[in-house]
Amino acid sequence: MPGFERFGDQERQEVQDVLDNGVLMRYGFDGMRNGHWKAKSLEEALQQTFNVKHAQLVSSGTAAVSVALAAAGVGAGDEVIMPTFTFVASFEAITMLGAIPVLVDIDDTLTLDPKAVEAAITPKTKAVMVVQMCGSMGDMNALKTVCDKHNLLLVEDACQAIGGTYNGKALGSIGDLGCFSFDFVKTVTCGEGGAVITNTTEYYTHADHYSDHGHDHVGNDRGAETHPFLGYNFRISELHAAVGLAQIKRLSEFLAVQKKNYTTLRTALADIPEVTFRTVPEGGEESYAFLNFFLPDLESARKASKGFKEAGVDVCFHYYDNNWHYVRKWDHLKDVKSLYPVSPAIKEGLKTLSNKTFTQSDHYIARNISALIKLSWTEEEVAARAAKMVEVIKASI
Ligand SMILES: *Cc1c(COP(=O)(O)O)cnc(C)c1O
């Protein structure tokens, strides 16, 4: 997955352009730029690559999710439905706005179970956030149907699945708003960065202003611009955008490598009758950033996870025992351990979480191993890894 593995001359050249003209900021300083607008160019590239009307770069994937929600008017006291299995960024982005994260079970797609989503809807629900975890996606048709029926926003966190598709559409472009992360370990990296994509011009305009202190970006005198509403600073720098501009042009190259390495591993593991794979919804194609598989039970998954480490097989994650990606270990959220006072609405909303059980999610995450697919492996390395993985799994079941 990490695009940094293939960092090279293209990235160096784009960064050098920025250093040569010295304009590290994405807005203003038109005269000094010598025609280089790296953030703007990357936004255009994202629009083309994912076939959407608008793209707004921001400083991180977490910022992208928060800006997306804010742009669509989600705020204090609103409930946002999100999965139990995701990165902590999901609830951070929600609580930052004063909104309430409502966690619901995942299914064998490893993201939102549409039935669990529908059951969690209340009069306060404003949005459903599907997190396209580990290179694949939720049942987007079913989720869209639920959202349309209840008049809810559908926000897609596609941070881990850039390049995946559903019925020919890019992940991130299916919901009302989609989010990407370009942090250092993502398939396309800027070092740090993120983006919101949308076909709704109003949301885009909001995201554009909100992420830059409310600047309306009219004319070429920043000081004279107006501020139609309150904003924050979630800007990306021109240096970061330059790296991303080189990387986005290489996305199809990266995806092809991911698919090749994924296929080698999957073919080897498929020979073990006890191994099953995550469900990819009909019409979906993964980005192949991870190979996700299930072992028969928690014990065998723990044994395999330990075995992989001992055998030197790295980047295989057993998220059940991981502090960052699964609700089981999110005690700081359950206990609302905040540095500063949190709104009563959030406290109240999170109260039920402290003793809530998610048996259905446990059923999948306890048995799941997510094997990251690297871009730098040689063919021999992938073959050797596949053989080792098969050996470890066979000894664990
Ligand atoms: C990485 C990631 C984020 C956050 O992105 P940052 O750029 O690190 O803030 C959000 N959601 C998911 C699913 C991620 O994997």
Side-chain angles (χ1 to χ4, degrees), residues 43-152:
E43 284 167 350
E44 281 159 17
L46 290 169
Q47 284 160 216
Q48 269 169 21
T49 308
F50 302 116
N51 196 22
V52 285
K53 276 198 202 144
H54 306 287
Q56 177 64 42
L57 283 171
V58 289
S59 51
S60 72
T62 313
V65 179
S66 218
V67 168
L69 291 169
V74 177
D78 293 334
E79 291 180 355
V80 180
I81 293 175
M82 58 166 273
T84 52
F85 174 51
T86 176
F87 184 50
V88 291
S90 299
F91 61 75
E92 292 168 356
I94 296 168
T95 55
M96 191 158 72
L97 298 167
I100 303 160
V102 174
L103 275 62
V104 306
D105 269 323
I106 58 159
D107 60 18
D108 57 1
T109 63
L110 296 181
T111 189
L112 293 177
D113 173 358
K115 289 190 293 297
V117 169
E118 190 148 34
I121 293 169
T122 76
K124 287 194 211 162
T125 309
K126 195 84 172 267
V128 172
M129 189 201 295
V130 56
V131 183
Q132 316 291 27
M133 277 301 273
C134 303
S136 187
M137 69 213 81
D139 183 341
M140 296 305 290
N141 265 352
L143 291 168
K144 225 168 154 30
T145 302
V146 172
C147 289
D148 289 346
K149 182 175 156 197
H150 296 272
N151 196 23
L152 302 173

Side-chain angles (χ1 to χ4, degrees), residues 86 157 174 206 266 278 349 372:
T86 176
D157 175 340
I174 299 156
H206 289 170
R266 180 162 178 148
R278 72 117 52 97
L372 182 89

Side-chain angles (χ1 to χ4, degrees), residues 107-311:
D107 60 18
D108 57 1
T109 63
L110 296 181
T111 189
L112 293 177
D113 173 358
K115 289 190 293 297
V117 169
E118 190 148 34
I121 293 169
T122 76
K124 287 194 211 162
T125 309
K126 195 84 172 267
V128 172
M129 189 201 295
V130 56
V131 183
Q132 316 291 27
M133 277 301 273
C134 303
S136 187
M137 69 213 81
D139 183 341
M140 296 305 290
N141 265 352
L143 291 168
K144 225 168 154 30
T145 302
V146 172
C147 289
D148 289 346
K149 182 175 156 197
H150 296 272
N151 196 23
L152 302 173
L153 278 171
L154 181 58
V155 177
E156 260 186 284
D157 175 340
C159 291
Q160 291 194 9
I162 194 165
T165 59
Y166 180 78
N167 289 338
K169 280 188 173 175
L171 295 182
S173 74
I174 299 156
D176 297 289
L177 300 117
C179 306
F180 295 118
S181 163
F182 305 126
D183 80 19
F184 193 53
V185 295
K186 298 302 202 278
T187 302
V188 167
T189 184
C190 292
E192 297 284 2
V196 179
I197 61 172
T198 183
N199 285 308
T200 305
T201 304
E202 188 190 24
Y203 295 159
Y204 160 69
T205 306
H206 289 170
D208 167 87
H209 298 9
Y210 181 73
S211 58
D212 184 25
H213 303 292
H215 269 275
D216 67 8
H217 298 142
V218 174
N220 54 10
D221 177 359
R222 267 178 78 77
E225 289 177 19
T226 68
H227 31 67
F229 47 79
L230 296 168
Y232 279 106
N233 178 3
F234 295 115
R235 285 191 310 258
I236 194 166
S237 84
E238 200 68 350
L239 280 170
H240 290 90
V243 178
L245 183 58
Q247 290 249 307
I248 196 74
K249 293 175 184 162
R250 307 178 65 191
L251 177 61
S252 52
E253 167 199 334
F254 292 175
L255 293 174
V257 176
Q258 282 183 174
K259 184 171 183 176
K260 188 161 174 274
N261 292 346
Y262 168 110
T263 305
T264 302
L265 295 186
R266 180 162 178 148
T267 307
L269 267 57
D271 282 340
I272 309 172
E274 290 86 351
V275 170
T276 53
F277 297 94
R278 72 117 52 97
T279 297
V280 177
E282 209 188 311
E285 181 166 11
E286 297 181 72
S287 75
Y288 307 103
F290 290 83
L291 173 66
N292 287 274
F293 56 94
F294 300 111
L295 294 179
D297 50 34
L298 173 60
E299 197 196 340
S300 49
R302 277 195 169 135
K303 221 164 146 188
S305 177
K306 191 160 167 266
F308 289 143
K309 281 187 194 108
E310 284 164 4

